[in-house]
Amino acid sequence: MEYDLPLPLYKKLTVTFRVEPGCLGPDGADHIVGFCKHAKQAVAGLDSDFVRWVITPRFDKSLLETEYRTNGKRLNQQQAALYLSAFGKSLDDFEEHLQDKLSELIDTYLGR
């Protein structure tokens, strides 16, 4: 199946990734909002033809770390995997790439 890229916003996969303040160290809560803004800008271009990124602090541990939505509907892991497969991506590789990118961004943000 072929798609005209970039997709309209409502058809894109919205990936919400919630970042734990603790990943920025003991005073991470003081920096998490700024880091999330920085990270959002840094990942905005990744797969931007079919993905919309939301990087936000994870203050509520009852919320999933990663959440997928499209067309106003929440997707489970299997549905997200199916969506990504239409663009030649595997969910595992997609999530691993995001985790690696965020680790790099944390190191850069903290000046490591």
Side-chain angles (χ1 to χ4, degrees):
M1 183 180 275
E2 293 211 14
Y3 296 94
D4 290 330
L5 298 176
L7 293 177
L9 191 57
Y10 75 94
K11 287 187 178 181
K12 288 186 178 188
L13 181 67
T14 298
V15 179
T16 300
F17 188 84
R18 296 178 181 92
V19 182
E20 303 262 351
C23 73
L24 295 173
D27 61 345
D30 297 337
H31 305 285
I32 192 67
V33 172
F35 172 75
C36 287
K37 287 179 184 176
H38 168 73
K40 164 78 168 90
Q41 291 173 346
V43 301
L46 297 177
D47 299 317
S48 62
D49 284 343
F50 58 92
V51 174
R52 177 180 171 261
W53 297 98
V54 177
I55 310 292
T56 188
R58 187 178 186 198
F59 295 122
D60 182 349
K61 300 237 183 205
S62 70
L63 297 174
L64 294 173
E65 182 178 54
T66 308
E67 185 177 293
Y68 301 97
R69 294 182 163 280
T70 189
N71 203 17
K73 297 177 183 160
R74 188 167 165 205
L75 304 180
N76 62 31
Q77 294 289 103
Q78 184 178 11
Q79 292 166 321
L82 187 59
Y83 181 101
L84 288 168
S85 72
F87 298 96
K89 305 277 184 178
S90 83
L91 182 62
D92 288 341
D93 291 345
F94 183 83
E95 288 182 341
E96 184 177 327
H97 184 246
L98 176 60
Q99 289 283 352
D100 290 347
K101 182 67 175 170
L102 287 172
S103 291
E104 289 173 22
L105 290 171
I106 289 167
D107 288 345
T108 302
Y109 193 81
L110 295 176
R112 293 183 193 159

